[in-house]
Amino acid sequence: MVLPPDATLADVGEFGLIAALVEQFGTDDQVLVGPGDDAAVLRIRHGHVVVSTDLMVEGRHFRRDWASAEDVGHRAAAQNLSDINAMGGRGTHLTIGLAAPADLPAAWALDFARGFSQECAEVGATVVGGDLTRADQVVISVTVLGRCTQAPVLRSGAQPGDVLALAGRQGWAAGGLAVLGRGFRSPRVLVEAYRRPRPPYAQGQAAAEAGATALIDVSDGLLAEAGHVAVASGVAIDVRRDAFEVPEPLHAVGAALGADPMEFILAGGDDHALLATFPGTGSVPEGWQVIGAVAEGEGVTVDGASYDGSTGWTHF
Amino acid sequence: MVLPPDATLADVGEFGLIAALVEQFGTDDQVLVGPGDDAAVLRIRHGHVVVSTDLMVEGRHFRRDWASAEDVGHRAAAQNLSDINAMGGRGTHLTIGLAAPADLPAAWALDFARGFSQECAEVGATVVGGDLTRADQVVISVTVLGRCTQAPVLRSGAQPGDVLALAGRQGWAAGGLAVLGRGFRSPRVLVEAYRRPRPPYAQGQAAAEAGATALIDVSDGLLAEAGHVAVASGVAIDVRRDAFEVPEPLHAVGAALGADPMEFILAGGDDHALLATFPGTGSVPEGWQVIGAVAEGEGVTVDGASYDGSTGWTHF
């Protein structure tokens, strides 16, 4: 379907846009009924199905002037696929709810869907349904189904004596967001890290197979997520600053904005890195970096002391 | 958890509210991991999993002054469970995304969750996860998973010679919405039908078992849904006015508002009635009413002629 370049959602109409969107999405042999009926129908092998839902709100989780529609599509898919990664599984099927003003360019919705679909292709996942309606601001709701080939790894299994480890880039997206917030567009590598996160999709299952005792993805900030693990597991977690080599672009941003670059690493989300605990350094698989330790007690410390900077994102 | 009666979402905070919400939801023996981790984990028996997503936007799909939070919860759940009903299945597990202004009373969210949970109990379904974030207006996104015990019934199977049949109340909710729109609160029975629809949850599976060739739920309006079946199946559908006995309260509303009460029946959604086609009157199960016929051709007619009233809801 070819849309006029300046067509809005109101011009194209619900069913016209849905038809154009569905063309963006592929299918797979588990999808018996895809988009277009009252519900999608999936053929599921006996086993564990993992389910997660996330919302993204314009002006809060993304800005249309800070990221292209395709970027927002990549981010929306990545954020959800990452939740399945954080259980030690892999996303398989997704639904998208899109609420948007009537004057939203239809091309924005199509570009969003293309980016979303491209990100899903990274793990072989398929969009199987959705809903489209009108609202004052763009709200994107995604639900992802996934599979674990072994027992899912929860937040609650960390044990005193475990080591804390990280997979994936951390702090890059927060650095990118900070420069965008000041009206800059560089360092380009950080802005791109914010616009198109690269979650370590292979590392969730790798951690599970290596015997990770707890696993979570970093979306609210590294220390905040360590805090979730500490509370759920009933343990204390200490993060070591010297475990991180601050990448050059974060040094540059810190200097330009008068900020401590370590803040981006300790409080940043949006990279969708994975944080895990393992029974000992010997069990930490390749691609993971030991950044701290688990002990008896409660709370999160940095280098053994309480941390007084921001620990991450607050929703209300 | 007891919240101060005037607490807002901002007062209670994301994690406080989530804890209070989760208390509203039960669990079942298929739920291995419920709300609180990166994703929920379900034990699925080998077979077909049916998935659907719907959005509800404040000011468009509901008004807080026209329905209580508990009512909105009932409606949000009913609308989604009905999509599974319309495949011939039964909803089993749901996720809820709630985007809301920071000044939303926390009690509204809790009452919403209670109504949602009560409606889910009608079919034995369980809430297993969700997301909560801030937005300018309330946007509710629900994803439902369900099961079919036989092959799902699609929109596309209607055949010339089939009869068209309806299960459940039709037009009542539209009548209720019309009086609310004029600032009235009666007839009470219609307003209640709008606030708490009673979808015929047992009739989806009954239709499938009786050999229904097509099945859809009436959410966009009776003629609009008949149109979806006609297009998907490549057939013509005729609806007969004399198949309907207009209930007394709809006559009263029609007289009061100067409207043809048949409009509420032909164009109304929101009751979540089921519309199906069957191979002949002999195969129509109890609880269904024959309201028309399927023929070769295309399009939807009323008493053999084109219909010039509204056929239902337009999203953009």
Side-chain angles (χ1 to χ4, degrees):
Chain A
M1 183 177 197
V2 178
L3 298 174
D6 55 352
T8 65
L9 294 203
D11 295 333
V12 177
E14 182 190 10
F15 297 111
L17 184 62
I18 288 175
L21 289 171
V22 167
E23 284 181 20
Q24 305 275 345
F25 304 127
T27 188
D28 67 54
D29 60 10
Q30 285 189 280
V31 180
L32 301 180
V33 178
D37 217 291
D38 296 290
V41 182
L42 310 176
R43 184 191 288 117
I44 299 286
R45 288 185 298 268
H46 189 82
H48 296 167
V49 172
V50 191
V51 187
S52 180
T53 289
D54 267 318
L55 296 169
M56 282 175 70
V57 177
E58 179 174 13
R60 188 156 178 84
H61 301 98
F62 66 93
R63 284 176 49 158
R64 277 191 263 162
D65 56 339
W66 284 3
S68 72
E70 208 169 314
D71 291 336
V72 176
H74 274 275
R75 286 188 57 217
Q79 173 176 329
N80 281 275
L81 295 170
S82 179
D83 282 321
I84 305 301
N85 201 21
M87 300 299 279
R90 187 161 276 244
T92 55
H93 302 95
L94 301 97
T95 62
I96 307 174
L98 176 63
D103 65 358
L104 184 81
W108 194 93
L110 291 181
D111 289 348
F112 166 83
R114 188 172 58 251
F116 194 97
S117 202
Q118 285 166 356
E119 189 70 23
C120 289
E122 295 281 324
V123 300
T126 307
V127 176
V128 294
D131 192 21
L132 178 65
T133 193
R134 189 163 162 176
D136 296 343
Q137 71 193 135
V138 179
V139 178
I140 297 160
S141 168
V142 177
T143 298
V144 57
L145 307 187
R147 279 188 67 79
C148 291
T149 54
Q150 71 298 308
V153 185
L154 310 186
R155 304 174 173 193
S156 51
Q159 299 286 335
D162 284 355
V163 297
L164 182 72
L166 184 80
R169 299 191 299 199
Q170 173 58 26
W172 291 52
L177 188 57
V179 301
L180 285 168
R182 299 295 185 96
F184 302 119
R185 290 284 190 269
S186 68
R188 186 93 198 148
V189 65
L190 299 184
V191 170
E192 281 305 311
Y194 166 74
R195 289 178 173 158
R196 302 215 179 172
R198 296 207 298 251
Y201 290 124
Q203 293 299 345
Q205 194 174 328
E209 287 169 356
T213 52
L215 186 57
I216 197 168
D217 74 316
V218 181
S219 49
D220 284 348
L222 177 56
L223 296 183
E225 305 293 358
H228 297 326
V229 172
V231 168
S233 300
V235 296
I237 292 180
D238 184 57
V239 176
R240 288 199 332 268
R241 274 192 183 83
D242 69 5
F244 299 95
E245 194 171 337
V246 177
E248 208 295 306
L250 277 187
H251 273 301
V253 171
L257 305 184
D260 177 359
M262 188 55 74
E263 286 255 342
F264 299 120
I265 293 174
L266 294 178
D270 286 320
D271 289 306
H272 301 295
L274 286 179
L275 188 65
T277 55
F278 294 94
T281 48
S283 61
V284 177
E286 202 178 333
W288 290 77
Q289 173 190 4
V290 173
I291 62 161
V294 180
E296 285 188 19
E298 58 180 328
V300 176
T301 50
V302 177
D303 296 331
S306 66
Y307 180 73
D308 56 7
S310 161
T311 59
W313 175 263
T314 305
H315 291 267
F316 282 100
Chain B
M1 183 178 199
V2 178
L3 297 174
D6 56 351
T8 65
L9 293 203
D11 296 332
V12 178
E14 181 191 12
F15 296 112
L17 184 62
I18 288 176
L21 289 170
V22 166
E23 284 181 18
Q24 305 276 346
F25 304 127
T27 187
D28 67 55
D29 60 7
Q30 284 188 281
V31 180
L32 301 181
V33 178
D37 217 292
D38 296 292
V41 182
L42 309 176
R43 183 191 288 117
I44 298 288
R45 287 186 297 269
H46 188 84
H48 296 166
V49 172
V50 191
V51 187
S52 179
T53 289
D54 267 318
L55 296 170
M56 282 175 70
V57 177
E58 178 174 12
R60 186 156 180 86
H61 301 99
F62 67 93
R63 283 176 51 159
R64 278 191 262 161
D65 55 339
W66 285 2
S68 72
E70 208 170 316
D71 292 334
V72 176
H74 274 275
R75 286 188 57 216
Q79 174 177 330
N80 281 275
L81 295 171
S82 180
D83 281 322
I84 305 300
N85 202 19
M87 300 300 279
R90 188 161 274 245
T92 55
H93 301 95
L94 301 96
T95 62
I96 307 176
L98 176 63
D103 65 357
L104 184 80
W108 194 93
L110 291 181
D111 290 347
F112 166 83
R114 189 173 57 251
F116 194 97
S117 203
Q118 285 166 355
E119 188 71 23
C120 288
E122 295 279 325
V123 300
T126 307
V127 176
V128 294
D131 191 20
L132 178 65
T133 194
R134 190 163 162 175
D136 296 343
Q137 70 193 136
V138 180
V139 178
I140 298 160
S141 168
V142 178
T143 298
V144 56
L145 308 186
R147 280 189 65 80
C148 291
T149 53
Q150 71 299 308
V153 185
L154 310 186
R155 304 176 173 191
S156 51
Q159 298 286 337
D162 284 355
V163 296
L164 182 73
L166 184 79
R169 299 191 300 197
Q170 173 59 26
W172 292 52
L177 188 57
V179 301
L180 284 167
R182 299 295 186 97
F184 301 121
R185 291 284 189 269
S186 69
R188 186 95 196 147
V189 65
L190 298 185
V191 171
E192 281 305 310
Y194 166 74
R195 289 178 174 160
R196 301 216 178 171
R198 297 207 298 250
Y201 290 124
Q203 294 298 346
Q205 195 176 325
E209 288 169 356
T213 51
L215 184 57
I216 196 167
D217 75 315
V218 180
S219 50
D220 284 348
L222 178 57
L223 295 183
E225 305 294 357
H228 296 326
V229 172
V231 168
S233 300
V235 296
I237 292 181
D238 184 58
V239 176
R240 289 198 333 265
R241 274 193 185 82
D242 69 5
F244 299 95
E245 193 171 338
V246 178
E248 206 294 305
L250 277 186
H251 273 298
V253 171
L257 304 184
D260 177 357
M262 189 54 76
E263 286 254 343
F264 299 120
I265 293 174
L266 294 178
D270 288 317
D271 290 305
H272 300 296
L274 287 178
L275 189 65
T277 55
F278 294 94
T281 48
S283 61
V284 177
E286 202 178 332
W288 290 77
Q289 173 192 6
V290 173
I291 63 162
V294 180
E296 286 187 21
E298 59 180 327
V300 175
T301 50
V302 177
D303 297 330
S306 65
Y307 180 74
D308 55 7
S310 161
T311 58
W313 176 262
T314 305
H315 290 268
F316 284 99

